[in-house]
Each structure stands twice: as C-alpha cells, then as structure tokens.
Amino acid sequence: MQCGVPFVLLRGCVRHCRSCSSHACGWRAQWRRSYSFLKDDVKSLRAVVDPDISKIRNIGIMAHIDAGKTTTTERMLYYSGYTRALGDVDDGDTVTDYMAQERERGITIQSAAVTFDWKEHRVNLIDTPGHVDFTLEVERALRVLDGAVAVFDASAGVEAQTLTVWRQADKHKIPRMCFLNKMDKPGASLSYSVESIKRKLKANPVLLQIPIGSGKGFIGLVDLITKQRMTWEGKSWAEDGRVFTSRALELTDDPELLEEVSQARGALIEQVADLDDEFAELLLGEYSDNFDTVPAEKLREAVRRVTLARKGVPVLCGSSLKNKGVQPLLDAITAYLPAPHERNHDLVSWYKEDLCALAFKVVHDKQRGPLVFLRIYSGTLKPQSAVYNINRNGVERMSRLLLPFADHHVEIPSLSAGNIALTVGLKQTVTGDTIVSSKASAAAAARRAQRLAEEKKVSGRSGRESSSLVLAGVEVPEPVFFCSIEPPTMSKQADLDRALNCLQREDPSLKVRTDPDSGQTILCGMGELHIEILHDRIRREYNIETHLGPLQVAYRETILQSVTTTDTLDRTLGDKRHMVTVELTVSPSEKSASVTYDEEVGALLSAEIREAVDNGVHSSYLQGPVLGYPVQDVSTVIHSVGIEPGTSLAMVSAGVSRCMLKALQQAGGQVLEPVMSLEVTVEEEYLSQVLGDLAQRRGSVRDVQSRHDNKVLLATVPLAEMMGYSTVLRTLTSGNATFSLELASYEPMNPQAQNTLLNKMAGLS
C-alpha cells in the first residue's frame, strides 16, 4: 500500500506506511468508510466532564460468570469515546481485565474501576467478578456504589451467582436495573428471563424494552416509554454498532410488533401506576380517557421514582457482543439510577463540607507503592494534603491524586464529593478505613451527630447511633480452603512474607497464619481458583517460585451437650504466686461462640478482669477438642472467677482458657464440615451420570429443573468431596456441562465420615 494510510495489524494496533506521503489515491477515505473503529478522536481521561453531583453515577456491573459483564463494560467505554477499538474477552485485550491471569482465563478476578462521561453525565463504573471465589470483590464494590446493573444471559435467566450478588445488593439497599444480554443466542427468551427474575429474585421487573426478532434474527428493540424503534442492521464484520437507526413506530410497521408494543406499554403504565402514587393520580386525573397518551417524560420520571425507592427494577435487553442495545442501556443508567446525593448517608450531614471518604480497595504498584481507592462522601480531596484515618488513629500524607481507568491512571488536581478516587502515599490505610480531613473535623462531626441524635430523641424519632463516626466497612467471608506454602529456600522466606503481606492488604479474604506445631506458613482462601491465582501472582509479580501443599478443607467444631466444670490454676513465678479458680458452663447454641456472665459475677469483676476472661474464652474457641479446628455454635456462661491478690491478667486468661478446654473435652466434640450449594447445568442425556457421581460424593439432590433443552441440577455436597470436580464433570459430560459452587452452611459430619477424617489426620489411612 503506497500511501501514509493506517492499516490494521492487530486489534487496536495501527501502523503508518512511510514510503510515500500522498493521500490523493482515495484509499484512505475508502478504508475509513469500511472500518469505522479507526478513530482519531479518542477522548483523554483529562477531558472527563466534572459536572454537578446530580450528574454523577457510581455504578457496578454484576452478574453470574460468563453473562457478559466485561464485554458490556468494553462497549460502554467504546461508545463513550474512551477506547479506540472494541476489546474482546476471548482475545484478551479488554480494558478492565488487565491482569495476566484474567486474560489467560477469560474471567474477571479483580474489580476494575473506570471513569467516563456519557451525555454530560460522569459515570464511575466498576466491573466486578462473577466467580464465587471472588465474592469479596463484589461486596466491597457494592459497599461504595449508588446503583448497579445486573447482567443476565437471556438464554439462562437467573443463575447461581446472580442470586448471590443480588442478595449482596439487597443488603446494601442498592437500586438496580437488569440488562438481558445475549438476545442473539438461539435459546434467548425475554419471557423466561423476566419470569425467573420474578420467581427466583423475588423482584418486581419493570419491562422498558421489547426485542425485535429473536436468536440470530435479533436486530434491535423498541423503547416502550418513547415508542422508538431502534435497529442495528449492519452486515460488515467490522460493524461496531455505533451507528443505528432510531425512529418512531409507524402504522406501516409489522402488525404483530405493533400489537405486542401496545400490550407491553399498557402493562408498563398499569404496573408503574400500581407502584407510584403520584403517577397513578396523574393518570386518573389528566389522562383518564386514554392512558396511552401520557407523555414519555412523565412515565420516565415515574420509573425513576420506582427504581430509587427499590419498588421495581427496570429491565432492558440487547447483545453486547453483537454491539446492540448498549447505548440505550447507558441512557437508562443516567436516567434511572441515583446520583450520590440521592442516597441517604447520615455521615454526610455530620461532616457537612469537610472531607469524609471510605477506603474500599488497595492495590500494590511496583513504582508507586500502595494505591488506595477512596469513595468520597463529602468534601474535596486534594493531593499533597494530610488526612486523618479514624480507624488507625493516625495522620497520613497523600502525595498524589489519580483518576482510575483500569490499570491506567491520570493525575488530577482535586476531586469532589460523590466520586471515586485513587490515592498515592497512604501507607497504613486498609480496606474499610474511614478517611477525614483532620482529627478536629472528626470531633466537630461527633458534636453535630450528638446534637442531631438529641433532637430526634426530643421529637420522639429514633436516630442512628451517633457513637461511631466511621463508615461501615466491608464484611469479609471466612475462608473455606487452606494449604501450606513454602519458599524455594529459607533465604526467600522474608521475600515471601513481604509478598503475602502485600497480597493480604489487597485481598482481605486471604488469611495467612503460621501453624503452631510445624511452623509452616498456611494460606487460607475462598476456593481452589482463589488459591491458584494467588500462587500464580506470587510467581509472576514477586518472582518467588513457591511450593503449595495439598489443599485442605477448613472444618469447624462444636459440642454435643452442656457441661459445667471448675478448674484452678496455681502457679508460682519467681516470688509471686498466681492463683485463679474458674467455674463455667459450655452449651450448644445457635449464637456463634458467645460469652455471658451470671449477674452477681458480672457486677463484681472489673473491666480489665472481664477483658482477660473474655480473651481466655475466645482463645479457647480457636482450637477445638477434636482436631484443633475453630469452635462455633457454643455459648459460655461464667459462674464465678476467684482471683488471689497479685495474680496477673495473663494468668487469669490462662486459667479461663484451661477451664474452657476441660469443659469442651467433657462436652463431646463434633466436627462440622462446609456444605456447598451446587448448581449443574447439563444436557439431559448426561443427567444420570452426573446424578450417579453426586451420590458417590455424599451429595443430596434438592431439585432438578428444566431450562430450555438443558437440565439444572440443584444439590448440596460436602466441600471435601468436591476437589477436582471440574475435571470429572468435563469427562462425564464430554464438556457439555457447567457448574457453580457456593458455601451454604456448616453441617455435622456423620460418625462414619468423622472417623475416616480422624484416621486420615492421624496418618492411619
């Protein structure tokens, strides 16, 4: 090609021919016409609009694995003008999946934040993982977001992990909307997906669009609010979906489509009227003769009120991979999801214009050190400023302020309330810490909170506890898998410890402890994939070739009966005699590992002694009487504590701990094992083999449902029996099945299984 025309080598990679500078041949114009993804006007992050807080949207994309979250995010960035080419998960060139492990496996592992603008709105978007092992990533993202988009595979409807992320969003009271993706798949069904949202999520879907065509014939959609018909009908492989046809429905359109739109819009108006009183009054007043004449703007405002009140969830449809329906989804995000000031945060009123922010994620950068993600709830964040960490009770200096765009960041001079920022220089801050401008501003906020609480008390309204000035942190789930990890040589042990400290700070669901007997470092994680990814990151990012021991299950223990016992600890250290006598009762309980006192005892003991007693009880809960696993579902009642003068608090704790161990051994130990909820989607011809295999794994089948041509098997199975299940399932079904696991509960092991485990741990089997 003899010109200075760019030509494509790989996706998004452009080279110029240097052999001539002539552009007269007309090839350039033809090339541009054929390949519309070659854009010169890619926006810079510095150009992101900085609007009023009412124009900011903090949203998350959440879904079951492989529903199309990352692909949807990629299209949003492309259509908003922030990427040059459409990234593809299969090609490993998406913006938000930037880790090597993510690109190799085609899954999202870490939540990634990106900032872009759409029609004068600033959108701070977090793409979250769909795999159950990385549930914490979803949890901490939802903690700081104002709204969420739940993406569904339209051929599968609600899947296992969809339920989990939906419950997490319910917990944080987040308004959300649904996007039925993959409408171009042969088995895609709008009615099935909407019905599964109603039935499984117990939600109230508000259908705002209906598709035009189905399966491979899916070409567009009709907006039921505006009655606009939108179609994407490009034939070229390079068609990027940016250009689409939008026009009002006409009488000459397909009669079946017109009838379907008429019925669906009528149902939408009735549904919104049932959910929103203001809209119902408007209909019965001005538009009682013909509900269909209600203006689109009034209907849109009513849908927004319904969404913000979490009475209903708007449902949209499209196909992200085929570049259809993403622009209307972006319009809906700005139209229906809340701005930061529309979410009720008590602390905002306490801090007023002073800075208040929550650290929700930490990432380690080799050059910059720890990068801390902050959600700013009030005030303004500026670089080169000192901030006060309430949780750590310390002042830190923030050196730089960045705007996140996956793994690329742009330095900015300041950022206002409602936004998500990335900071450099906060060395001590961890996930869940509250950051304010100074200790004085925290004290001022405390006074305001106290004043507001007193006003509410006088007016007879119950207010929130004002004693805590910290934002609620992130709940970290307990790990269910553990294994030993060893460096290649002892000289690398210090490097490994540093790497594990960094990874723990990034990922609070990773726990690291030292085995008291063997001195080995123990890695505790959420699943096989979680530990495998951590092992791979230590190798790649920290250049340490570690060895992992066999994966083991994190069991728990409990007791079978109530026991009351007394024990005396009598020790002489030097010239001091320490003596403590304890009487207590341990009982099986639904309250996990609690401590209470008899009334007379509680009144007699000082705060320091009570703390020492509590420490003794809780330390004994860490190692059970059977196999040394943590104890749960046990309550302890302290009847008496006799202490000789001069006895140290450490000896009080030791005496209580010894008495507890004696009581737990007398009460009869029971091992509890983690039981998982299993969902297997399999073709009917392989169902019997899968059921037979589950029976051998001590599985209990709860239900077998139909999903189009497939069967969905719901079961509970002990985690210990699920090691390497993905390989076995692939073999049994010739690769025609998928499954997902989620921790359901801890259940008592049957005597035979417990004896087998005891023999195995003792090295007898």
Side-chain angles (χ1 to χ4, degrees):
M1 183 169 56
Q2 298 299 309
C3 63
V5 180
F7 61 93
V8 176
L9 297 171
L10 291 168
R11 181 182 303 277
C13 176
V14 177
R15 181 187 294 170
H16 283 80
C17 176
R18 304 292 182 197
S19 55
C20 82
S21 57
S22 169
H23 290 247
C25 61
W27 177 271
R28 183 182 182 94
Q30 181 185 347
W31 191 266
R32 284 289 161 83
R33 194 163 54 246
S34 301
Y35 302 99
S36 56
F37 61 74
L38 284 178
K39 299 195 299 169
D40 286 333
D41 57 340
V42 176
K43 292 183 185 176
S44 162
L45 261 186
R46 298 180 191 281
V48 175
V49 291
D50 190 13
D52 180 73
I53 195 168
S54 64
K55 299 275 189 182
I56 296 173
R57 299 290 181 269
N58 293 311
I59 64 157
I61 306 281
M62 60 182 200
H64 185 82
I65 193 166
D66 279 343
K69 298 178 296 300
T70 302
T71 304
T72 303
T73 304
E74 198 67 26
R75 270 54 183 170
M76 289 179 178
L77 293 175
Y78 182 66
Y79 297 137
S80 60
Y82 284 87
T83 54
R84 184 179 295 279
L86 287 167
D88 194 305
V89 172
D90 295 331
D91 293 344
D93 60 358
T94 57
V95 171
T96 51
D97 284 354
Y98 55 84
M99 288 173 62
Q101 294 86 351
E102 292 176 317
R103 294 189 163 180
E104 285 172 4
R105 289 170 171 82
I107 61 171
T108 302
I109 293 167
Q110 283 194 347
S111 54
V114 287
T115 300
F116 60 93
D117 58 70
W118 180 258
K119 296 185 179 176
E120 297 180 354
H121 286 74
R122 182 192 193 122
V123 181
N124 299 314
L125 182 145
I126 297 182
D127 178 25
T128 65
H131 199 286
V132 69
D133 283 17
F134 309 108
T135 302
L136 177 74
E137 286 291 322
V138 185
E139 174 74 23
R140 61 180 173 184
L142 291 177
R143 170 66 189 84
V144 297
L145 295 172
D146 302 316
V149 177
V151 181
F152 298 78
D153 180 338
S155 64
V158 175
E159 297 175 89
Q161 188 65 4
T162 317
L163 276 164
T164 305
V165 296
W166 196 269
R167 281 197 296 265
Q168 288 173 301
D170 278 338
K171 182 171 71 176
H172 294 293
K173 298 182 171 61
I174 290 177
R176 68 214 81 145
M177 63 198 324
C178 301
F179 180 59
L180 305 182
N181 192 23
K182 305 191 180 183
M183 287 302 296
D184 59 306
K185 282 179 76 170
S189 168
L190 182 81
S191 56
Y192 172 80
S193 298
V194 170
E195 188 55 41
S196 73
I197 291 169
K198 275 185 197 170
R199 192 178 72 254
K200 294 184 179 178
L201 301 180
K202 304 292 185 286
N204 200 350
V206 179
L207 189 63
L208 302 185
Q209 297 172 347
I210 59 169
I212 301 173
S214 60
K216 289 185 178 178
F218 172 68
I219 59 165
L221 48 91
V222 176
D223 186 326
L224 296 177
I225 290 181
T226 61
K227 294 195 205 172
Q228 287 285 313
R229 170 195 167 106
M230 290 171 254
T231 53
W232 290 258
E233 296 185 83
K235 296 285 188 284
S236 167
W237 70 268
E239 185 63 43
D240 61 6
R242 188 186 294 106
V243 179
F244 61 94
T245 307
S246 178
R247 63 170 175 81
L249 281 174
E250 298 169 352
L251 293 174
T252 54
D253 282 318
D254 179 14
E256 284 185 17
L257 178 66
L258 290 172
E259 178 62 26
E260 189 181 355
V261 169
S262 175
Q263 289 182 2
R265 192 170 195 270
L268 169 65
I269 290 170
E270 286 181 24
Q271 184 184 12
V272 174
D274 287 341
L275 298 171
D276 185 72
D277 293 341
E278 187 181 327
F279 185 67
E281 287 174 16
L282 180 74
L283 278 185
L284 297 172
E286 294 179 41
Y287 305 100
S288 55
D289 295 339
N290 185 1
F291 289 170
D292 198 45
T293 58
V294 66
E297 194 52 44
K298 296 291 184 187
L299 182 52
R300 189 179 285 114
E301 287 170 4
V303 171
R304 178 174 172 78
R305 287 193 296 272
V306 166
T307 308
L308 298 194
R310 295 185 299 112
K311 293 178 181 176
V313 285
V315 177
L316 298 93
C317 59
S319 171
S320 296
L321 187 65
K322 300 297 182 184
N323 312 316
K324 297 171 184 175
V326 178
Q327 294 96 326
L329 173 63
L330 279 165
D331 290 338
I333 286 168
T334 57
Y336 306 123
L337 291 181
H341 70 288
E342 290 172 307
R343 298 268 286 144
N344 184 29
H345 298 291
D346 285 347
L347 268 74
V348 175
S349 60
W350 299 349
Y351 283 95
K352 298 210 168 176
E353 297 303 311
D354 287 337
L355 173 68
C356 178
L358 177 71
F360 67 94
K361 185 177 169 74
V362 179
V363 176
H364 276 269
D365 185 278
K366 286 181 181 176
Q367 279 77 39
R368 300 184 182 114
L371 306 177
V372 180
F373 284 83
L374 296 177
R375 161 70 198 269
I376 308 169
Y377 285 95
S378 65
T380 302
L381 205 57
K382 292 181 179 177
Q384 300 299 332
S385 59
V387 292
Y388 177 66
N389 185 326
I390 297 182
N391 302 68
R392 310 279 148 218
N393 191 23
V395 175
E396 292 194 84
R397 178 162 287 279
M398 184 179 57
S399 58
R400 296 166 70 191
L401 185 63
L402 308 170
L403 200 61
F405 194 76
D407 58 337
H408 299 290
H409 317 299
V410 171
E411 200 159 345
I412 48 173
S414 68
L415 206 56
S416 56
N419 279 298
I420 288 171
L422 194 56
T423 61
V424 181
L426 303 182
K427 299 276 193 293
Q428 306 302 320
T429 304
V430 298
T431 298
D433 285 357
T434 301
I435 303 294
V436 297
S437 53
S438 65
K439 202 168 186 176
S441 75
R447 289 193 294 273
R448 286 188 203 107
Q450 194 62 42
R451 197 161 55 246
L452 285 168
E454 286 168 4
E455 286 172 9
K456 285 182 179 178
K457 208 179 236 182
V458 169
S459 63
R461 290 178 295 160
S462 61
R464 171 181 150 166
E465 284 292 319
S466 61
S467 57
S468 174
L469 288 172
V470 295
L471 292 152
V474 179
E475 285 185 27
V476 180
E478 283 297 312
V480 292
F481 269 117
F482 68 92
C483 68
S484 61
I485 181 167
E486 295 175 352
T489 62
M490 285 309 294
S491 63
K492 288 279 189 180
Q493 182 67 50
D495 293 338
L496 176 60
D497 290 343
R498 273 194 295 274
L500 290 174
N501 283 336
C502 289
L503 289 170
Q504 273 190 100
R505 198 171 165 201
E506 281 189 27
D507 181 2
S509 65
L510 164 67
K511 301 280 195 302
V512 179
R513 59 182 174 84
T514 303
D515 188 285
D517 299 324
S518 66
Q520 284 182 307
T521 303
I522 305 297
L523 213 58
C524 309
M526 301 304 299
E528 287 182 81
L529 181 63
H530 186 205
I531 288 178
E532 184 187 329
I533 295 290
L534 289 166
H535 184 221
D536 194 39
R537 287 190 65 192
I538 291 169
R539 180 175 63 81
R540 292 191 196 213
E541 295 173 26
Y542 299 94
N543 297 316
I544 306 171
E545 291 286 347
T546 53
H547 170 70
L548 287 185
L551 277 178
Q552 298 179 58
V553 175
Y555 293 98
R556 297 281 186 273
E557 295 183 26
T558 190
I559 56 174
L560 298 171
Q561 58 194 26
S562 294
V563 166
T564 302
T565 190
T566 307
D567 191 62
T568 300
L569 177 70
D570 190 348
R571 290 278 187 279
T572 302
L573 297 175
D575 58 349
K576 272 194 174 183
R577 187 183 182 195
H578 303 267
M579 187 172 175
V580 56
T581 303
V582 182
E583 183 184 359
L584 53 79
T585 300
V586 292
S587 314
S589 166
E590 290 184 3
K591 290 181 182 177
S592 188
S594 60
V595 189
T596 55
Y597 294 80
D598 283 350
E599 281 185 31
E600 309 92 53
V601 181
L604 291 172
L605 297 179
S606 67
E608 292 87 356
I609 292 174
R610 282 188 70 149
E611 187 180 349
V613 172
D614 287 350
N615 287 341
V617 173
H618 287 298
S619 67
S620 62
Y621 283 152
L622 297 175
Q623 282 199 307
V626 184
L627 288 169
Y629 288 106
V631 174
Q632 68 176 43
D633 301 336
V634 175
S635 65
T636 301
V637 180
I638 308 295
H639 300 302
S640 69
V641 181
I643 303 169
E644 290 290 315
T647 302
S648 69
L649 293 175
M651 282 297 176
V652 174
S653 293
V656 173
S657 190
R658 198 170 90 158
C659 188
M660 279 289 298
L661 182 60
K662 182 178 172 183
L664 291 171
Q665 286 171 339
Q666 291 175 2
Q670 167 72 56
V671 177
L672 304 173
E673 64 179 345
V675 174
M676 312 299 282
S677 289
L678 172 69
E679 181 179 299
V680 184
T681 305
V682 61
E683 291 182 6
E684 191 165 1
E685 61 180 292
Y686 299 111
L687 182 62
S688 57
Q689 291 97 306
V690 174
L691 287 169
D693 179 65
L694 278 180
Q696 294 176 353
R697 296 173 183 270
R698 296 191 285 132
S700 171
V701 178
R702 298 201 316 268
D703 195 10
V704 179
Q705 302 173 349
S706 294
R707 183 185 290 164
H708 307 305
D709 298 332
N710 293 329
K711 294 292 182 184
V712 179
L713 176 65
L714 304 176
T716 51
V717 194
L719 177 60
E721 304 290 341
M722 296 303 290
M723 299 285 192
Y725 184 64
S726 56
T727 307
V728 173
L729 184 67
R730 201 178 301 122
T731 306
L732 285 174
T733 63
S734 302
N736 290 301
T738 58
F739 80 99
S740 63
L741 277 175
E742 183 188 3
L743 180 65
S745 61
Y746 274 88
E747 300 291 339
M749 293 183 82
N750 63 52
Q752 183 184 353
Q754 183 165 323
N755 286 335
T756 303
L757 177 65
L758 289 170
N759 289 334
K760 183 181 173 184
M761 299 298 279
L764 300 175
S765 64

